[in-house]
Amino acid sequence: MKKVLIGITIIILGLLILLWKINFSKVHSKVITKIEEKDDILIAINYPQTKYNNLNRKIKNYINSYYSYFKDEFSSYKAKEKIELNIDYSYFLLKNKYLCITLYITVDTHSSDNNYKDIKTILYDTKSNKEILLTDIIKDHNKLINLIDDNLKYKYNTNNIDFNIDNLISNPFSINDKYLTIYIPSTDSNYDFYVIKISLKEFNLETKQVIAKTTYLENNMVIDPSKKVVALTFDDGPSIYTQDILNILNKYGVNATFFVLGNKVSMYKETLKYALKQGCEIGNHSYNHKWMIKLNENELKAQIEDTQNIIKKELGYTPTSLRPTYGSINDKIKNYSNFNIVLWNIDTLDWKIKNPKEIARRALKADDGDIILMHDIHKQTVNSLELIIPKLLKDGFQFVTISELKEIELLRKRL
Ligand code: ZN
């Protein structure tokens, strides 16, 4: 009898986890990434597209307004350095019901003037399909105000902010599995925001995260160092196109390397697991595509390590290759010598050229040992692969990952 009960409990628990996972993956369907590089302007925008049209419209409105503001304000701006717009996001599904989307906006002119940071939050009730306020899920307003006051005093040594529940609701915030983080515009020139972290336990809102363990097969591909090799690499993903690319690679039995953005890893972790299973390599391409040569030590460290950590957490895999954003390298990046730091020999310009034939024409210039740069965030890139892979195979090329390419280079030196 006892055994039967234990058995039933395990089955019910299993079903609950399954339901939770299905629900979780249903909410977020894809991430949209827009990377532009034009004259002196660099733009990297990432935002989620959910299955809720109302919510998508709100997110899109924010993105569009920052995008046009940036273009209007800076397209004729004369600066010594390139100007950068970066929009990143985080999301969290609280209590299987409330979706919290936070957008982080940074305009960086790489000089002290005109720099700009902003945060926008949307808290969305997925059951009623409406945007709601933080105070709708946290009912004990006095406790919330007291905790914020304590935090301001203790962490920032400030008590000159007049704070009440009415002006609280206009401040951005984000939620993860442990904390509610509230961003209060700072009166101190040292910070853009006072960042207040409050444990969700204070409001009985904590969530238990279930992290799936994965295993992947070792890559059994045998490469002949005496024959030609080429490495296909895909940047700025994963995205909705990554799986299509994996299917084409699989069809021809070839591998590639995906230089991913850390902020997209969780949403496409199933795709990435599939990539690893196939024998593809996953490399680090920063967390949210900031222009890496302009970052200070700590910012650079965060971009690289946050990406390593999320890949490790979601896939149980540790990348060894790093591709700096916009292909720019400096000494600070070179100091990450534990990574294989990789650029490319052939730029297909697939983000700019919409014609698959033209993309293929550029890729087919490849020579032995070349690295081809592509992006797994465009439809035309997917379509060009059917023109590239069979032709290169016919010409006697072996497709290798970046790590395999490095091994081959070493092997050839020894031979
Ligand atoms: Zn990139």
Side-chain angles (χ1 to χ4, degrees):
M1 188 60 194
K2 217 175 174 186
K3 270 187 187 160
V4 174
L5 275 177
I6 292 170
I8 290 172
T9 314
I10 289 171
I11 289 168
I12 290 173
L13 274 175
L15 282 172
L16 281 175
I17 290 171
L18 198 68
L19 271 174
W20 181 85
K21 287 199 76 173
I22 289 168
N23 209 318
F24 197 74
S25 59
K26 264 190 197 160
V27 174
H28 331 281
S29 39
K30 57 178 166 174
V31 194
I32 310 291
T33 303
K34 196 176 184 142
I35 311 266
E36 283 180 23
E37 191 180 355
K38 215 182 198 175
D39 305 324
D40 286 335
I41 289 181
L42 305 177
I43 296 176
I45 298 174
N46 289 290
Y47 63 93
Q49 200 173 72
T50 68
K51 63 169 188 169
Y52 307 105
N53 289 335
N54 248 341
L55 175 59
N56 291 341
R57 221 170 294 130
K58 283 174 200 289
I59 298 172
K60 200 71 199 291
N61 280 343
Y62 279 133
I63 300 290
N64 287 343
S65 69
Y66 283 106
Y67 183 74
S68 13
Y69 156 80
F70 181 77
K71 287 223 150 169
D72 291 349
E73 198 76 1
F74 293 103
S75 55
S76 55
Y77 181 84
K78 288 276 164 282
K80 282 190 205 115
E81 288 282 10
K82 293 188 184 189
I83 304 161
E84 200 182 345
L85 168 67
N86 188 285
I87 303 181
D88 193 14
Y89 72 94
S90 66
Y91 64 83
F92 190 74
L93 185 64
L94 185 70
K95 295 275 166 195
N96 228 352
K97 185 176 175 191
Y98 307 109
L99 191 54
C100 178
I101 309 263
T102 311
L103 299 173
Y104 307 89
I105 303 99
T106 317
V107 169
D108 212 335
T109 57
H110 307 295
S111 67
S112 52
D113 11 303
N114 285 310
N115 286 348
Y116 177 80
K117 261 201 175 100
D118 204 2
I119 295 172
K120 289 283 172 210
T121 316
I122 305 167
L123 185 61
Y124 196 77
D125 183 336
T126 59
K127 298 288 181 296
S128 68
N129 276 314
K130 275 190 195 122
E131 187 174 0
I132 56 168
L133 300 171
L134 180 60
T135 45
D136 292 332
I137 55 168
I138 293 180
K139 303 289 185 202
D140 192 344
H141 298 174
N142 284 336
K143 186 173 182 186
L144 182 59
I145 292 291
N146 287 337
L147 285 167
I148 294 173
D149 270 342
D150 287 352
N151 248 282
L152 283 170
K153 264 179 230 152
Y154 169 74
K155 199 170 159 192
Y156 294 102
N157 204 11
T158 177
N159 47 15
N160 57 1
I161 298 180
D162 184 27
F163 215 74
N164 60 48
I165 204 70
D166 294 323
N167 62 32
L168 168 75
I169 54 174
S170 62
N171 286 304
F173 59 89
S174 63
I175 296 174
N176 64 19
D177 54 337
K178 289 192 184 69
Y179 297 104
L180 161 70
T181 308
I182 300 174
Y183 302 89
I184 299 169
S186 136
T187 52
D188 182 333
S189 60
N190 291 323
Y191 318 99
D192 292 305
F193 294 97
Y194 297 121
V195 181
I196 310 295
K197 271 192 168 183
I198 296 171
S199 168
L200 288 179
K201 276 188 194 147
E202 299 280 358
F203 302 99
N204 290 325
L205 284 169
E206 74 270 34
T207 314
K208 282 206 175 60
Q209 279 274 49
V210 183
I211 298 158
K213 274 208 163 165
T214 60
T215 48
Y216 56 93
L217 303 172
E218 284 299 317
N219 173 21
N220 291 320
M221 200 176 153
V222 181
I223 305 150
D224 181 350
S226 67
K227 287 185 185 153
K228 288 191 285 187
V229 290
V230 68
L232 278 180
T233 62
F234 298 93
D235 286 12
D236 302 345
S239 83
I240 48 160
Y241 299 116
T242 309
Q243 188 60 53
D244 296 339
I245 291 175
L246 288 170
N247 292 344
I248 297 173
L249 297 176
N250 196 23
K251 177 176 157 190
Y252 293 102
V254 301
N255 287 331
T257 304
F258 293 85
F259 286 98
V260 302
L261 297 179
N263 66 357
K264 295 158 91 178
V265 166
S266 296
M267 193 173 288
Y268 295 103
K269 69 173 178 191
E270 294 308 323
T271 307
L272 292 177
K273 278 184 208 167
Y274 195 86
L276 290 173
K277 222 173 222 173
Q278 251 176 245
C280 288
E281 179 173 352
I282 292 171
N284 186 327
H285 190 44
S286 84
Y287 195 78
N288 55 22
H289 217 279
K290 290 283 285 178
W291 194 16
M292 287 161 91
I293 55 167
K294 289 293 157 191
L295 302 177
N296 67 34
E297 306 272 356
N298 286 336
E299 291 165 333
L300 180 64
K301 194 170 171 217
Q303 286 284 328
I304 294 173
E305 286 186 3
D306 289 354
T307 305
Q308 291 296 99
N309 291 341
I310 191 90
I311 294 172
K312 176 89 193 149
K313 181 184 139 192
E314 298 285 27
L315 307 168
Y317 172 90
T318 305
T320 54
S321 300
L322 173 73
R323 175 168 281 163
T325 49
Y326 304 104
S328 328
I329 290 191
N330 62 5
D331 286 340
K332 273 186 215 147
I333 298 173
K334 280 186 200 153
N335 278 339
Y336 282 84
S337 52
N338 49 332
F339 282 102
N340 183 11
I341 300 171
V342 194
L343 296 182
W344 55 84
N345 312 97
I346 295 190
D347 188 350
T348 59
L349 296 179
D350 60 333
W351 56 277
K352 199 155 82 177
I353 298 169
K354 302 274 184 265
N355 182 355
K357 270 191 199 154
E358 181 54 25
I359 297 168
R361 195 187 63 78
R362 299 180 69 93
L364 292 173
K365 287 181 182 163
D367 236 326
D368 182 28
D370 276 351
I371 298 172
I372 302 176
L373 171 67
M374 305 185 93
H375 300 82
D376 53 327
I377 56 172
H378 306 289
K379 183 111 187 81
Q380 65 265 24
T381 304
V382 183
N383 294 336
S384 72
L385 290 175
E386 285 283 3
L387 304 170
I388 297 168
I389 299 171
K391 177 76 173 88
L392 288 175
L393 283 173
K394 210 176 138 219
D395 291 348
F397 279 96
Q398 306 171 91
F399 285 80
V400 292
T401 63
I402 287 298
S403 296
E404 287 167 342
L405 182 66
K406 202 180 174 187
E407 270 175 54
I408 287 280
E409 280 166 359
L410 288 171
L411 207 63
R412 282 179 178 175
K413 268 184 204 160
R414 270 188 253 131
L415 286 177

